[in-house]
Amino acid sequence: MNAVEIEEAISELADQSFDPEGFPFAFLEAFGNKATTLKRLKSGSSNASDIEGGVLQRNNIHLLVCEKGDVSKTLATLKDSPATTKGKAKFVLATDGADLEAEDLNSGETVACAYADFPNHFGFFLSLAGITTVKQVRESSFDIRATGRLNKLYIELLKDNPDWGTAERRPDMNHFMARLIFCFFAEDTDIFHGDNLFTATIDQMSARDSSNTHEVISELFRAMNTKIADRASTGLSRWADGLPYVNGGLFSGSTDVPRFSKIARTYLLHIGNLDWKKVNPDIFGSMIQAVADDEERGALGMHYTSVPNILKVLDPLFLDDLRDQLEAAGDNARMLLNLRRRMAKIRVFDPACGSGNFLVIAYKEIRAIEAEINRRRNEPERRTDIPLTNFRGIELRDFSAEIARLALIIAEYQCDVLYRGQKEALAEFLPLDAQNWITSGNALRLDWLSICPPTGTGVKYRAEDLFSTPLDQAQIDFENEGGETYICGNPPYAGKGKKTTQEIDDMEFVFGSRSVKHGYIDYVGCWFLKAAEYGLRTDSSFAFVTTNSLCQGHQVPLIWPVLFETGYEITFTHTSFKWANLASNNAGVTVAIIGMSLTPKRVKKVISIADDGSVLSKDVANINAYLVGAVNILVQKQSKPLNGLAPMNLGNMPYDGGNLLLTKSELVNLGLSPLQRKELVRRIYGSKEYISNIERFCLWIQDERLDEAMQVPEIQRRIEAVRAMRSKSTDKGGQAMAARAHQMREMRTASKQTIVMPRTSSESRTYLPAGLLNVDNVVSSEAFGVFDAPLWQLTLLLSRVHLVWIATVCGQLETRYRYSNVLGWNTFPIPKLTEKNKADLTRCAEDILLVREAHFPKTIADLYDPEKMPEDLRHAHERNDEVLERIYIGRRFKNDTERLEKLFELYTKMTTKGAA
Ligand SMILES: C[S@@+](CC[C@H](N)C(=O)[O-])C[C@H]1O[C@@H](n2cnc3c(N)ncnc32)[C@H](O)[C@@H]1O
């Protein structure tokens, strides 16, 4: 169950009459517990409570329904009960049907409310459903609830008005929803005079059978589009006259309204009766935009970008600087004034703004700084100098663009109330400003210079549609006194193979004039290039969230030389972290944040999360394309190891049409004697065979044994089949191989042992799945082999340091690491190793191999499943990392960022020495 579904279930429960006996189970059911789980709890078999009537679900919650007035006492009893501790309950909850109290035993947070109100606090309990939430979501019960209700209404309306769901009318439908949301907010915040004016008027004036609901709403919209002075002449119904003139583009154009069924009308009234004062524009927009998106609706409201993540972009981009300036200004009135003037000219531009969350946060943060300036300057009620229209965006989806604008309007109003008081906020709120500063369109096709004109130059802009204004709307001028522009956002990522035809065309449009294989670059790369090109014309810096693959492997030499050529430098980065949201289908993509500027900065910042979870911030002189505090350098393929390691080669390519390879049963069918089996057959390992211990064999025939082999009819048939297949080859190499059809293209093998390294490995593993094969086994071209190398070289492959190097320089194929000998092994920087070091490392490799063996028959896939990795194996790896990392820097690295920094330092030395 997702949060929206849970909210619905909880609300339904609270609406029903209170059933003391059934409540604990109904409550647990609302949080997604299955019927069988509840049955076991009811029967008592899994109920761990030690209190009469109590229900204790282990690792979750201990609940008790009590006598009237005993709620607080009962909560204390639940808290003190030994079973609560023993059963590791996260929550205790007591209710008498009139009041409800609960406590989160981990955080100590409590809830105490009327029973009927507990759905307002459902976010508090979300972890009961396994949804771990950031604080803002827990506190956003209203937003989740409103999203769920609006979603129901949207679906119901589309059901009754299928024409509104067509591509042509969808924008009308979305626009209609935006108007409703505005009205709900306005009627609860005194923007509309009178309590619940909009909803109450619909309730009173529309027939209960819903037949004229659309006409009533349409008339109300017409009122909001009619200036007070013009009302008498337009024949507006008297009951609609109480609504103010709003417009600002929001109510202009058609006042057409979809028809309402009785159910839709009820939904509408329910939504109107929510308390919209509680709406939080930081996240409401992100949640609500899924409503209009047929594909996203399943994960309704769950693609939520947390405020802390947005601040990871905005703080280092410009907010930290503003706060530093504020601090430096102290109470100096002139410095404070200068800072305010500077802020008034700052433009924040998100060219993939979705519902405007980055813009909303930026606006609110700047308003907070301004409020502090005004406080220190003793001008607390001063009207804001920060124009909302300086927070500009482009968004492809029209509903999201509408919501972005609404979210900003709401944010402005809320900031005015907060910093200046409600009276002042109301006095200036209506009518809305008609300017269009959130553009609905394709950011990669639009000219950013016309949306955010270069500072100091007046540029006229022809906007695409936003609030139903016709596409050929009048040009809009923005005041443009000059100032800084900060471009930010989290544009769509879309890697190779994930792009739509439109997106592939967009890439061609953006990269076309440059000779770059842009097909391999993630779609998000377009925003980097557009932002860099924009900055060549006007004072700006930018920072985007991006998939970290843009800074790994083969994408690095494609995009980064192009970006660096513009003169831009990376001024800060937040290295890889999981960008998790609440969507159940989203395990969290790994992203990085990259900030770039044309203005040279002596000190750049690398921000990263340490292995212990703390945040590290390091000042460096340069940040390279791999997001490492090191010189700009591209790791190049090397045909031989630069580091003194043994050569690593790809295994043997069968090139056999399947005839040299054998399954176990095919091997049995050959009918070989034990001696023949030993001399003519080998077990063969590629990635899958090694990782999942899949038995596979191959004919392995030395020239001197060919005659003997040909005596076995099935072997002879197979060799002839290989010959026939290779003879048909169109390339000369293939044909030449037909002459030795009994062998694979290579016949690489070891005389003692082979270190095997699968070509691909799941990114979820903490270590690469390398290992050791004995002399009787061979490696296929689906894996690499290091033949007869000393065991300490296996240690390297099994280390965290090596995994990080491979992830960075070789990159990933979808969600798998793609190993490369020429790019990864041959370039891997290692410190100088003493004989003692090698002996220590050898012992580490032996330990790991011994532990693996002790878990036989578990496969590498079993053992390295991050959820199930055995403790002794984890320890053996930890020891391996400890020993190796001490050789690198005398201690453990704090995190991967530090590992990479050391590796790049060594790599630079190694390659410059080589070049010299
Ligand atoms: C990852 S979302 C980020 C939105 C918002 N900042 C958030 O956190 O929810 C990317 C947004 O870019 C929009 N988008 C995708 N392609 C676009 C394009 N070519 N031009 C403008 N916007 C685009 C998507 O509709 C989506 O809203």
Side-chain angles (χ1 to χ4, degrees), residues 286 289 303 305 310 350-358 394-397 400 441-444 489-493 503 506 523 527 579:
S286 305
Q289 61 181 343
H303 287 297
T305 301
I310 294 173
D350 181 348
C353 70
S355 53
N357 49 359
F358 281 68
I394 307 179
E395 168 53 44
L396 195 59
R397 294 177 296 174
S400 298
N442 182 341
L444 301 180
N490 61 338
Y493 310 137
E503 288 168 347
D506 289 343
Y523 189 46
W527 273 260
W579 188 266

mmCIF file of all heavy atoms in Angstrom, residues 286 289 303 305 310 350-358 394-397 400 441-444 489-493 503 506 523 527 579, ligand 1:
data_model
loop_
_atom_site.group_PDB
_atom_site.id
_atom_site.type_symbol
_atom_site.label_atom_id
_atom_site.label_comp_id
_atom_site.label_asym_id
_atom_site.label_seq_id
_atom_site.Cartn_x
_atom_site.Cartn_y
_atom_site.Cartn_z
ATOM 1 N N SER A 286 4.652 18.313 -6.147
ATOM 2 C CA SER A 286 5.259 17.056 -6.613
ATOM 3 C C SER A 286 4.265 15.922 -6.492
ATOM 4 O O SER A 286 4.255 14.995 -7.279
ATOM 5 C CB SER A 286 6.471 16.695 -5.759
ATOM 6 O OG SER A 286 7.352 17.762 -5.752
ATOM 7 N N GLN A 289 1.062 16.389 -9.143
ATOM 8 C CA GLN A 289 1.249 16.344 -10.587
ATOM 9 C C GLN A 289 1.010 14.946 -11.168
ATOM 10 O O GLN A 289 0.658 14.805 -12.332
ATOM 11 C CB GLN A 289 2.614 16.873 -10.995
ATOM 12 C CG GLN A 289 3.779 16.116 -10.433
ATOM 13 C CD GLN A 289 5.124 16.731 -10.867
ATOM 14 O OE1 GLN A 289 5.167 17.501 -11.799
ATOM 15 N NE2 GLN A 289 6.182 16.365 -10.178
ATOM 16 N N HIS A 303 6.464 10.239 -5.926
ATOM 17 C CA HIS A 303 7.704 10.751 -6.517
ATOM 18 C C HIS A 303 7.999 12.111 -5.901
ATOM 19 O O HIS A 303 7.930 13.141 -6.536
ATOM 20 C CB HIS A 303 7.583 10.867 -8.031
ATOM 21 C CG HIS A 303 7.608 9.546 -8.697
ATOM 22 N ND1 HIS A 303 8.708 8.726 -8.637
ATOM 23 C CD2 HIS A 303 6.690 8.880 -9.401
ATOM 24 C CE1 HIS A 303 8.448 7.624 -9.288
ATOM 25 N NE2 HIS A 303 7.226 7.678 -9.761
ATOM 26 N N THR A 305 10.313 14.744 -4.051
ATOM 27 C CA THR A 305 11.705 15.132 -3.838
ATOM 28 C C THR A 305 11.796 15.884 -2.518
ATOM 29 O O THR A 305 11.134 16.905 -2.351
ATOM 30 C CB THR A 305 12.177 16.045 -4.977
ATOM 31 O OG1 THR A 305 12.033 15.320 -6.183
ATOM 32 C CG2 THR A 305 13.627 16.435 -4.799
ATOM 33 N N ILE A 310 16.707 19.005 -2.259
ATOM 34 C CA ILE A 310 16.677 20.221 -3.089
ATOM 35 C C ILE A 310 17.723 21.219 -2.573
ATOM 36 O O ILE A 310 18.434 21.854 -3.347
ATOM 37 C CB ILE A 310 15.259 20.839 -3.065
ATOM 38 C CG1 ILE A 310 14.278 19.876 -3.748
ATOM 39 C CG2 ILE A 310 15.240 22.198 -3.746
ATOM 40 C CD1 ILE A 310 12.825 20.274 -3.663
ATOM 41 N N ASP A 350 14.634 27.121 -13.408
ATOM 42 C CA ASP A 350 14.647 25.651 -13.446
ATOM 43 C C ASP A 350 14.061 25.205 -14.783
ATOM 44 O O ASP A 350 12.842 25.251 -14.982
ATOM 45 C CB ASP A 350 13.829 25.102 -12.271
ATOM 46 C CG ASP A 350 13.812 23.574 -12.241
ATOM 47 O OD1 ASP A 350 14.234 22.960 -13.238
ATOM 48 O OD2 ASP A 350 13.370 23.001 -11.229
ATOM 49 N N PRO A 351 14.911 24.768 -15.694
ATOM 50 C CA PRO A 351 14.410 24.433 -17.027
ATOM 51 C C PRO A 351 13.847 23.015 -17.151
ATOM 52 O O PRO A 351 13.760 22.507 -18.276
ATOM 53 C CB PRO A 351 15.652 24.622 -17.912
ATOM 54 C CG PRO A 351 16.812 24.550 -16.988
ATOM 55 C CD PRO A 351 16.359 24.679 -15.581
ATOM 56 N N ALA A 352 13.483 22.400 -16.056
ATOM 57 C CA ALA A 352 12.716 21.133 -16.081
ATOM 58 C C ALA A 352 11.998 21.112 -14.743
ATOM 59 O O ALA A 352 12.198 20.238 -13.923
ATOM 60 C CB ALA A 352 13.647 19.939 -16.219
ATOM 61 N N CYS A 353 11.158 22.116 -14.526
ATOM 62 C CA CYS A 353 10.773 22.464 -13.152
ATOM 63 C C CYS A 353 9.686 21.593 -12.553
ATOM 64 O O CYS A 353 9.386 21.714 -11.371
ATOM 65 C CB CYS A 353 10.377 23.923 -13.074
ATOM 66 S SG CYS A 353 8.826 24.289 -13.900
ATOM 67 N N GLY A 354 9.083 20.698 -13.357
ATOM 68 C CA GLY A 354 8.005 19.897 -12.790
ATOM 69 C C GLY A 354 6.992 20.812 -12.137
ATOM 70 O O GLY A 354 6.574 21.823 -12.727
ATOM 71 N N SER A 355 6.659 20.519 -10.906
ATOM 72 C CA SER A 355 5.674 21.338 -10.223
ATOM 73 C C SER A 355 6.336 22.478 -9.463
ATOM 74 O O SER A 355 5.726 23.046 -8.554
ATOM 75 C CB SER A 355 4.898 20.460 -9.269
ATOM 76 O OG SER A 355 5.835 19.798 -8.470
ATOM 77 N N GLY A 356 7.582 22.763 -9.802
ATOM 78 C CA GLY A 356 8.211 23.979 -9.296
ATOM 79 C C GLY A 356 8.834 23.880 -7.925
ATOM 80 O O GLY A 356 9.083 24.902 -7.287
ATOM 81 N N ASN A 357 9.123 22.633 -7.475
ATOM 82 C CA ASN A 357 9.607 22.516 -6.090
ATOM 83 C C ASN A 357 10.944 23.218 -5.848
ATOM 84 O O ASN A 357 11.143 23.831 -4.811
ATOM 85 C CB ASN A 357 9.643 21.052 -5.631
ATOM 86 C CG ASN A 357 10.334 20.146 -6.618
ATOM 87 O OD1 ASN A 357 10.791 20.589 -7.670
ATOM 88 N ND2 ASN A 357 10.401 18.869 -6.299
ATOM 89 N N PHE A 358 11.860 23.161 -6.813
ATOM 90 C CA PHE A 358 13.139 23.857 -6.619
ATOM 91 C C PHE A 358 12.904 25.373 -6.531
ATOM 92 O O PHE A 358 13.529 26.066 -5.730
ATOM 93 C CB PHE A 358 14.118 23.544 -7.766
ATOM 94 C CG PHE A 358 14.785 22.210 -7.636
ATOM 95 C CD1 PHE A 358 14.058 21.032 -7.773
ATOM 96 C CD2 PHE A 358 16.144 22.107 -7.379
ATOM 97 C CE1 PHE A 358 14.664 19.792 -7.641
ATOM 98 C CE2 PHE A 358 16.765 20.872 -7.247
ATOM 99 C CZ PHE A 358 16.019 19.710 -7.389
ATOM 100 N N ILE A 394 10.703 26.087 -16.953
ATOM 101 C CA ILE A 394 10.141 25.489 -18.165
ATOM 102 C C ILE A 394 9.729 24.084 -17.770
ATOM 103 O O ILE A 394 10.463 23.400 -17.045
ATOM 104 C CB ILE A 394 11.169 25.386 -19.315
ATOM 105 C CG1 ILE A 394 11.827 26.735 -19.582
ATOM 106 C CG2 ILE A 394 10.496 24.850 -20.576
ATOM 107 C CD1 ILE A 394 12.880 26.702 -20.682
ATOM 108 N N GLU A 395 8.584 23.670 -18.219
ATOM 109 C CA GLU A 395 8.117 22.317 -17.904
ATOM 110 C C GLU A 395 7.324 21.787 -19.091
ATOM 111 O O GLU A 395 6.474 22.468 -19.641
ATOM 112 C CB GLU A 395 7.279 22.332 -16.618
ATOM 113 C CG GLU A 395 6.507 21.070 -16.320
ATOM 114 C CD GLU A 395 7.321 19.782 -16.316
ATOM 115 O OE1 GLU A 395 8.422 19.761 -15.751
ATOM 116 O OE2 GLU A 395 6.845 18.797 -16.919
ATOM 117 N N LEU A 396 7.647 20.542 -19.427
ATOM 118 C CA LEU A 396 7.019 19.917 -20.582
ATOM 119 C C LEU A 396 5.523 19.663 -20.355
ATOM 120 O O LEU A 396 4.698 19.883 -21.224
ATOM 121 C CB LEU A 396 7.738 18.577 -20.821
ATOM 122 C CG LEU A 396 7.527 17.872 -22.141
ATOM 123 C CD1 LEU A 396 7.957 18.739 -23.305
ATOM 124 C CD2 LEU A 396 8.318 16.566 -22.165
ATOM 125 N N ARG A 397 5.186 19.174 -19.176
ATOM 126 C CA ARG A 397 3.792 18.766 -18.942
ATOM 127 C C ARG A 397 2.966 19.965 -18.477
ATOM 128 O O ARG A 397 3.357 20.650 -17.520
ATOM 129 C CB ARG A 397 3.750 17.656 -17.887
ATOM 130 C CG ARG A 397 4.414 16.384 -18.384
ATOM 131 C CD ARG A 397 4.436 15.323 -17.333
ATOM 132 N NE ARG A 397 5.234 15.698 -16.181
ATOM 133 C CZ ARG A 397 5.321 14.988 -15.080
ATOM 134 N NH1 ARG A 397 4.643 13.876 -14.962
ATOM 135 N NH2 ARG A 397 6.077 15.389 -14.079
ATOM 136 N N SER A 400 1.763 20.088 -14.734
ATOM 137 C CA SER A 400 2.845 20.379 -13.788
ATOM 138 C C SER A 400 3.202 21.862 -13.849
ATOM 139 O O SER A 400 3.445 22.501 -12.821
ATOM 140 C CB SER A 400 4.079 19.535 -14.103
ATOM 141 O OG SER A 400 3.767 18.181 -13.958
ATOM 142 N N GLY A 441 6.580 23.867 -22.159
ATOM 143 C CA GLY A 441 7.180 23.550 -23.458
ATOM 144 C C GLY A 441 8.401 22.678 -23.283
ATOM 145 O O GLY A 441 8.760 22.295 -22.167
ATOM 146 N N ASN A 442 9.038 22.380 -24.397
ATOM 147 C CA ASN A 442 10.231 21.540 -24.372
ATOM 148 C C ASN A 442 11.470 22.419 -24.184
ATOM 149 O O ASN A 442 11.842 23.193 -25.056
ATOM 150 C CB ASN A 442 10.312 20.771 -25.699
ATOM 151 C CG ASN A 442 11.492 19.834 -25.731
ATOM 152 O OD1 ASN A 442 12.446 19.971 -24.956
ATOM 153 N ND2 ASN A 442 11.443 18.872 -26.628
ATOM 154 N N ALA A 443 12.094 22.277 -23.022
ATOM 155 C CA ALA A 443 13.218 23.150 -22.674
ATOM 156 C C ALA A 443 14.370 23.028 -23.659
ATOM 157 O O ALA A 443 15.171 23.953 -23.807
ATOM 158 C CB ALA A 443 13.716 22.806 -21.273
ATOM 159 N N LEU A 444 14.452 21.883 -24.315
ATOM 160 C CA LEU A 444 15.603 21.692 -25.204
ATOM 161 C C LEU A 444 15.374 22.345 -26.563
ATOM 162 O O LEU A 444 16.302 22.486 -27.347
ATOM 163 C CB LEU A 444 15.908 20.204 -25.344
ATOM 164 C CG LEU A 444 16.224 19.524 -24.006
ATOM 165 C CD1 LEU A 444 16.524 18.054 -24.196
ATOM 166 C CD2 LEU A 444 17.376 20.215 -23.298
ATOM 167 N N GLY A 489 17.889 22.426 -10.920
ATOM 168 C CA GLY A 489 16.798 21.475 -11.116
ATOM 169 C C GLY A 489 17.283 20.047 -11.160
ATOM 170 O O GLY A 489 18.477 19.769 -10.977
ATOM 171 N N ASN A 490 16.334 19.143 -11.351
ATOM 172 C CA ASN A 490 16.706 17.749 -11.604
ATOM 173 C C ASN A 490 16.031 17.294 -12.893
ATOM 174 O O ASN A 490 14.946 16.742 -12.880
ATOM 175 C CB ASN A 490 16.459 16.816 -10.420
ATOM 176 C CG ASN A 490 15.010 16.744 -9.993
ATOM 177 O OD1 ASN A 490 14.236 17.641 -10.277
ATOM 178 N ND2 ASN A 490 14.644 15.674 -9.323
ATOM 179 N N PRO A 491 16.670 17.597 -14.006
ATOM 180 C CA PRO A 491 16.085 17.266 -15.313
ATOM 181 C C PRO A 491 15.979 15.755 -15.481
ATOM 182 O O PRO A 491 16.600 14.999 -14.727
ATOM 183 C CB PRO A 491 17.103 17.847 -16.303
ATOM 184 C CG PRO A 491 17.995 18.742 -15.510
ATOM 185 C CD PRO A 491 17.996 18.210 -14.117
ATOM 186 N N PRO A 492 15.193 15.316 -16.459
ATOM 187 C CA PRO A 492 15.025 13.863 -16.648
ATOM 188 C C PRO A 492 16.363 13.228 -17.024
ATOM 189 O O PRO A 492 17.155 13.831 -17.739
ATOM 190 C CB PRO A 492 14.026 13.770 -17.798
ATOM 191 C CG PRO A 492 14.069 15.094 -18.477
ATOM 192 C CD PRO A 492 14.461 16.097 -17.458
ATOM 193 N N TYR A 493 16.570 12.006 -16.518
ATOM 194 C CA TYR A 493 17.897 11.388 -16.700
ATOM 195 C C TYR A 493 18.015 10.629 -18.024
ATOM 196 O O TYR A 493 18.891 10.905 -18.814
ATOM 197 C CB TYR A 493 18.181 10.423 -15.548
ATOM 198 C CG TYR A 493 17.957 11.004 -14.175
ATOM 199 C CD1 TYR A 493 17.314 10.283 -13.178
ATOM 200 C CD2 TYR A 493 18.417 12.279 -13.864
ATOM 201 C CE1 TYR A 493 17.134 10.816 -11.909
ATOM 202 C CE2 TYR A 493 18.231 12.817 -12.596
ATOM 203 C CZ TYR A 493 17.584 12.088 -11.634
ATOM 204 O OH TYR A 493 17.402 12.596 -10.382
ATOM 205 N N GLU A 503 13.077 12.260 -27.439
ATOM 206 C CA GLU A 503 14.274 12.615 -26.662
ATOM 207 C C GLU A 503 15.546 12.412 -27.482
ATOM 208 O O GLU A 503 16.493 13.195 -27.380
ATOM 209 C CB GLU A 503 14.298 11.801 -25.361
ATOM 210 C CG GLU A 503 13.232 12.282 -24.380
ATOM 211 C CD GLU A 503 12.983 11.369 -23.189
ATOM 212 O OE1 GLU A 503 13.456 10.206 -23.211
ATOM 213 O OE2 GLU A 503 12.289 11.798 -22.255
ATOM 214 N N ASP A 506 15.779 15.327 -29.585
ATOM 215 C CA ASP A 506 16.231 16.483 -28.791
ATOM 216 C C ASP A 506 17.745 16.468 -28.632
ATOM 217 O O ASP A 506 18.406 17.500 -28.694
ATOM 218 C CB ASP A 506 15.600 16.450 -27.382
ATOM 219 C CG ASP A 506 14.112 16.755 -27.389
ATOM 220 O OD1 ASP A 506 13.623 17.291 -28.399
ATOM 221 O OD2 ASP A 506 13.437 16.439 -26.386
ATOM 222 N N TYR A 523 20.227 11.699 -21.260
ATOM 223 C CA TYR A 523 19.416 12.844 -21.718
ATOM 224 C C TYR A 523 19.707 14.101 -20.890
ATOM 225 O O TYR A 523 19.760 15.213 -21.410
ATOM 226 C CB TYR A 523 17.949 12.432 -21.588
ATOM 227 C CG TYR A 523 16.908 13.335 -22.189
ATOM 228 C CD1 TYR A 523 17.033 13.867 -23.471
ATOM 229 C CD2 TYR A 523 15.738 13.626 -21.469
ATOM 230 C CE1 TYR A 523 16.039 14.674 -24.015
ATOM 231 C CE2 TYR A 523 14.741 14.417 -22.007
ATOM 232 C CZ TYR A 523 14.895 14.943 -23.267
ATOM 233 O OH TYR A 523 13.900 15.727 -23.799
ATOM 234 N N TRP A 527 20.846 19.310 -20.675
ATOM 235 C CA TRP A 527 20.623 20.484 -19.823
ATOM 236 C C TRP A 527 21.960 21.112 -19.438
ATOM 237 O O TRP A 527 22.063 22.328 -19.320
ATOM 238 C CB TRP A 527 19.814 20.088 -18.580
ATOM 239 C CG TRP A 527 18.335 20.153 -18.816
ATOM 240 C CD1 TRP A 527 17.488 21.156 -18.453
ATOM 241 C CD2 TRP A 527 17.502 19.175 -19.479
ATOM 242 N NE1 TRP A 527 16.199 20.868 -18.846
ATOM 243 C CE2 TRP A 527 16.172 19.667 -19.468
ATOM 244 C CE3 TRP A 527 17.740 17.955 -20.087
ATOM 245 C CZ2 TRP A 527 15.105 18.966 -20.042
ATOM 246 C CZ3 TRP A 527 16.680 17.264 -20.647
ATOM 247 C CH2 TRP A 527 15.387 17.770 -20.631
ATOM 248 N N TRP A 579 18.931 8.835 -4.462
ATOM 249 C CA TRP A 579 17.850 9.807 -4.576
ATOM 250 C C TRP A 579 16.555 9.024 -4.393
ATOM 251 O O TRP A 579 15.864 8.690 -5.351
ATOM 252 C CB TRP A 579 17.916 10.448 -5.956
ATOM 253 C CG TRP A 579 16.991 11.607 -6.176
ATOM 254 C CD1 TRP A 579 15.750 11.564 -6.723
ATOM 255 C CD2 TRP A 579 17.249 12.984 -5.900
ATOM 256 N NE1 TRP A 579 15.221 12.828 -6.783
ATOM 257 C CE2 TRP A 579 16.114 13.719 -6.286
ATOM 258 C CE3 TRP A 579 18.330 13.681 -5.347
ATOM 259 C CZ2 TRP A 579 16.031 15.099 -6.167
ATOM 260 C CZ3 TRP A 579 18.244 15.051 -5.222
ATOM 261 C CH2 TRP A 579 17.111 15.747 -5.625
HETATM 262 C C1 LIG B 1 12.895 14.461 -12.572
HETATM 263 S S1 LIG B 1 11.536 15.554 -12.869
HETATM 264 C C2 LIG B 1 11.902 16.864 -11.761
HETATM 265 C C3 LIG B 1 10.779 17.759 -11.488
HETATM 266 C C4 LIG B 1 10.792 18.424 -10.115
HETATM 267 N N1 LIG B 1 11.937 19.234 -9.901
HETATM 268 C C5 LIG B 1 10.673 17.367 -9.017
HETATM 269 O O1 LIG B 1 11.567 17.153 -8.228
HETATM 270 O O2 LIG B 1 9.613 16.738 -8.962
HETATM 271 C C6 LIG B 1 11.917 16.187 -14.424
HETATM 272 C C7 LIG B 1 10.853 17.063 -15.015
HETATM 273 O O3 LIG B 1 11.278 17.446 -16.318
HETATM 274 C C8 LIG B 1 10.166 17.448 -17.188
HETATM 275 N N2 LIG B 1 10.699 17.308 -18.555
HETATM 276 C C9 LIG B 1 11.054 16.198 -19.198
HETATM 277 N N3 LIG B 1 11.528 16.490 -20.422
HETATM 278 C C10 LIG B 1 11.466 17.842 -20.542
HETATM 279 C C11 LIG B 1 11.794 18.740 -21.560
HETATM 280 N N4 LIG B 1 12.318 18.312 -22.690
HETATM 281 N N5 LIG B 1 11.592 20.046 -21.350
HETATM 282 C C12 LIG B 1 11.063 20.491 -20.184
HETATM 283 N N6 LIG B 1 10.741 19.678 -19.167
HETATM 284 C C13 LIG B 1 10.932 18.376 -19.344
HETATM 285 C C14 LIG B 1 9.333 16.285 -16.715
HETATM 286 O O4 LIG B 1 7.991 16.437 -17.115
HETATM 287 C C15 LIG B 1 9.521 16.386 -15.203
HETATM 288 O O5 LIG B 1 8.536 17.191 -14.627
#
